[in-house]
Amino acid sequence: MKSPTEPVIHIVSDSTGETAEAVVRAALARFDVPQLTLRMSVFVRAVADLEAAIDKLIDEPGIVFFTLADPGARDRLTGAAAAAGCTAVPVLDAQIAALARVLSQTPRAEAGL
């Protein structure tokens, strides 16, 4: 387990994790972070993959940024994060919601898009 002075950032994605990682790194550029631990859980599409990502979060609490399309997986991750005292951030939700309003469409909930 990392010490409390070393922030642990978890990225959980049902694809490569590149989008979430890029967003996190762009946001981190605004901070002086002496040491950073980044834990990637990618291609999280099966229940076992999700549970492994949650185990990492429990073992090393911090903040989790995620791009998961499946509503059940999202709910399970955010619930587990809350139970572990961690913040969970859905990276693309605001952008997807805005586009859904403007385009008058319902977004697809498919992994890997």
Side-chain angles (χ1 to χ4, degrees):
M1 183 178 285
K2 295 290 177 188
S3 73
T5 58
E6 296 178 42
V8 178
I9 297 176
H10 297 268
I11 293 176
V12 180
S13 176
D14 55 23
S15 190
T16 64
E18 290 176 5
T19 299
E21 183 179 8
V23 169
V24 168
R25 292 196 183 279
L28 282 170
R30 296 181 178 252
F31 298 91
D32 292 322
V33 181
Q35 192 167 4
L36 172 69
T37 301
L38 185 66
R39 298 281 182 247
M40 301 284 292
S41 297
V42 297
F43 296 107
V44 174
R45 297 182 182 174
V47 172
D49 300 330
L50 180 61
E51 294 304 321
I54 289 169
D55 288 344
K56 288 181 190 178
L57 182 64
I58 292 168
D59 288 345
E60 295 181 293
I63 185 169
V64 58
F65 293 87
F66 66 92
T67 53
L68 296 173
D70 179 80
R74 293 165 58 89
D75 289 346
R76 173 72 180 111
L77 180 63
T78 57
C86 301
T87 300
V89 180
V91 174
L92 294 174
D93 280 15
Q95 294 80 1
I96 291 171
L99 285 168
R101 280 191 306 274
V102 170
L103 299 173
S104 298
Q105 292 184 24
T106 300
R108 294 178 288 169
E110 297 175 35
L113 297 176

